[in-house]
Amino acid sequence: MKKLSVITLILALSVVANVGLIAFVIWLATHKDETIPTICGDEEPNPKLFKDATYQNIFEDLNSSEINEVLDYLYSQSELKLVKPDKANLTTNYIIGLELHVPNKSQALKFLDGNGREIPPAREAKAYLFLPQNDPPVVEEYIVAPIPRPTRYYHNPRRIKDIPYRVRQFSNTEMVVAVNLLRKEVATKVENMLKRSYGASFICKKNCLTFTASAVSSAFSKERKLWITSLYQLEFATLHPVGFQILINMDGINASNWKIEKLWYANKMFSSVEELVRKYENNEIPKALIRPPKASPGETSVPGSLNIRGKRFPDVPTSGPKQYEPQGHRYRVRNQHVDYLQWEFNFRMSYASGIQLYDIKFQNERIMYELSMQEIIVIYAGATPHGLYAQLSDSAFGIGNRAHGMMPGVDCPEHATFVDSVIYNEDNLTPKTYPNAICVFEHNTALPLRRHRSGSSRSGFFNSGLVDYVLILRTMFVMFNYDYIIDFVFHQNGAIDVKVHSTGFILSSLYYHEEGAYGFRVSESSIAPVHHHLFSFKADMDILGTKNRYMTLDTEVENRTRKWYENGEYHTQLTFKRNLKSTEQKAAYKYNFNTPKYHLIINNDKLNKYSEPRGYRILGKGFSKQILPENHGFERTITWSRYQMCVTKRKDSEDTSSSMYSMFDSGDPVVDFVSYINDNENIVDEDLVAWLSLGMHHIPHTEDVPNTATTGNEMSISFLPFNYFTEDPSMGSRDAVRVDSKIKSKGQKADVTIERYGTPHKFSCLAKQYDFQKIVNNASVLFQQP
Ligand SMILES: [Cu+2]
């Protein structure tokens, strides 16, 4: 009996214990410990924040399997005689790049505006092919369709002119030949001279020279040529030139005809390696004597590197402020489609020309069909070939494949959404993922978008404002030494900004007195030349439809009398005139401070409450005058840069302002932008495209070392609603805060209310932090390593 009781007791206790354990587990699952804060926004965002979960993005870039399908199809077309990039050389046909061929606008709009009733346009690829085996050798852009299961390819109908092989973009195949030629014809023959002149050489284990190549634009030569500049192989090379330069003539597809045409050494030009070496050995020329730069006393890093040096601050290491999203993202990025408050748009990365946005809508109305980058150029100067010939068109290297590896916490906030791009180019046999190519984040600018404090009994005591929360889509292109940051910024009042910042390492030339006309010394041995950065953007505006007008409001001074004014005297004041631009030539705007004006794209059929046409204003802050003479050399292929803004009638065949061929085609540009204007079509009540140029003249100074700072180097274009809404559309924002203070009777304490429109404002969560171990574990997040 006693024994039974003990067993019963044990059993009972065990049941109680189990029930207790289960109850504790249930309690744990349903009660978060109030003392341990959760991570801010760890949950999925509320789906009610977003519009359409099933959105089909017809602008989404080709994915890896789509690219592979297109590659397989093209390789199976025997008449194209294509080889794979690892077997390619100057004389073989091969695919140098491939990307989505964006549908024609008419087809795209039919689908986008079809309320789900229309089928999407067929997905197509655009393949860039080198076809040296054709007679004559050409570059072809073939459209491959449909995807999936391609069955046909045809010439890109938007490309009107043939593309001669000579004007092709840069390729690995020709760089391999150029490097071999340098190694065989120069490096060994001048090794002795280089070691004695510079204490370094190309054949080395330490104290090495490296080089950069800058194409000789067709401004200077009908043939395809490359100037090579020698530099110390240090962090970062472009700050350490030694002044030894080599001109390679790489015209034609027969590598055996390529030759070293000129050499520049100690400020003198030579016609051959043999002439240079002979004159050097015979002491017939002055000899350069330069040594690799060393760290300053007390420092470990070479001047120009990015290691910390100088007086350290703050005195105690402390972290600066960070941003966090207390309730998680208020935007969604899915299939390259962004949904944010009242905004939505699509984005993609063009292998050729960089970042592009499509179908930008605010409050369900399309503002722009396309907002895209077109070209980046830099025009250098100098007393030696290196600077003098450097008039560079960056798309010749492909811009889209220069964006990857943005660093969380520095390049974009830690809470940003990082998006990879998938690019196919000749570097790989298969498509490659480029991590962190684009980032999207909501940002608290810490600046009120609008605010007012009223403190008088006449108007009342209130303070109302709205922080300028914005969504930013950002990418960065690293064009070897220089870094360009491109932001698209979406505000709550319907405004969009495009911002360009430049940073990175400057190019420099070896210092000697003649270079003083072109720059300032930035180190013991180098001088950085003046240059002009220019950027081309396309804005295909659709204000309440495609039937739009371009009008300027030209501010003027009027002198007039009024009967009631001061004894009938003249008075002088501002006024403005509406100036409707009827044709493309009248809409080509060259920078002119004497006639300040507003640039408006309006819809004359859609009037606001006060019978004014609804529209958007385009505001350029960074318009920069291109002062090279028209039709002189390189200028012929960058005719977009003549205009800070021009408006043309939209055509599928006038797709871009520039092309990957603009480095070498100024004799007869493949994209002849000025012809878009010269035909002088009517632009009243037509589908309009605004072509916008930004730029800055850069005269580098010592503070550009080691990197140009973004501050002071910002250029932007804003697209601002103008008589489009009846009032500021941000008035509907629950992010606003209003404080009222009312005094019921004199001498009493004021009755103060704070209105936040239901938006929570007290949080006890922990800011989400990026796990940097991801980078330590996988360097490819930042670097594309061989
Ligand atoms: Cu610069």
Side-chain angles (χ1 to χ4, degrees), residues 91-213:
T91 60
T92 55
N93 292 358
Y94 73 102
I95 305 162
I96 184 159
L98 196 148
E99 63 176 293
L100 176 79
H101 182 61
V102 176
N104 282 349
K105 185 175 178 182
S106 54
Q107 294 170 313
L109 288 188
K110 204 171 161 193
F111 171 72
L112 294 170
D113 298 339
N115 291 323
R117 292 187 302 271
E118 300 288 337
I119 55 162
R123 274 172 80 67
E124 297 180 325
K126 177 162 59 180
Y128 300 84
L129 273 62
F130 282 180
L131 302 175
Q133 295 192 3
N134 281 24
D135 186 18
V138 289
V139 178
E140 258 294 358
E141 293 180 5
Y142 280 133
I143 309 305
V144 181
I147 299 171
R149 292 178 292 284
T151 55
R152 63 186 190 281
Y153 70 90
Y154 56 97
H155 175 78
N156 178 6
R158 295 173 205 167
R159 190 65 76 208
I160 296 165
K161 285 187 183 173
D162 289 339
I163 307 162
Y165 192 55
R166 194 183 61 74
V167 306
R168 68 194 180 278
Q169 59 269 51
F170 280 99
S171 67
N172 294 341
T173 48
E174 70 179 341
M175 287 314 291
V176 166
V177 178
V179 170
N180 284 340
L181 187 68
L182 276 179
R183 196 173 288 147
K184 191 167 145 231
E185 295 298 327
V186 183
T188 47
K189 293 180 184 174
V190 296
E191 190 189 0
N192 204 9
M193 182 193 86
L194 296 180
K195 278 185 175 163
R196 281 189 273 162
S197 300
Y198 308 126
S201 80
F202 291 108
I203 304 160
C204 58
K205 284 205 171 98
K206 63 174 197 174
N207 292 335
C208 293
L209 292 178
T210 183
F211 64 86
T212 60

Side-chain angles (χ1 to χ4, degrees), residues 13 52 87 248 260 296 427 552 760:
L13 280 174
D52 183 3
K87 302 278 188 303
I248 301 177
I260 305 297
S296 305
D427 292 344
T552 57

Side-chain angles (χ1 to χ4, degrees), residues 378 380 482 484 502 506 529 531-533 696-700 704 708 713:
V378 197
Y380 284 95
Y482 229 55
Y484 299 104
S502 47
I506 48 176
H531 53 279
H532 196 186
H533 296 274
M696 61 161 193
H697 285 96
H698 187 185
I699 303 175
D704 277 295
T708 295
N713 288 310

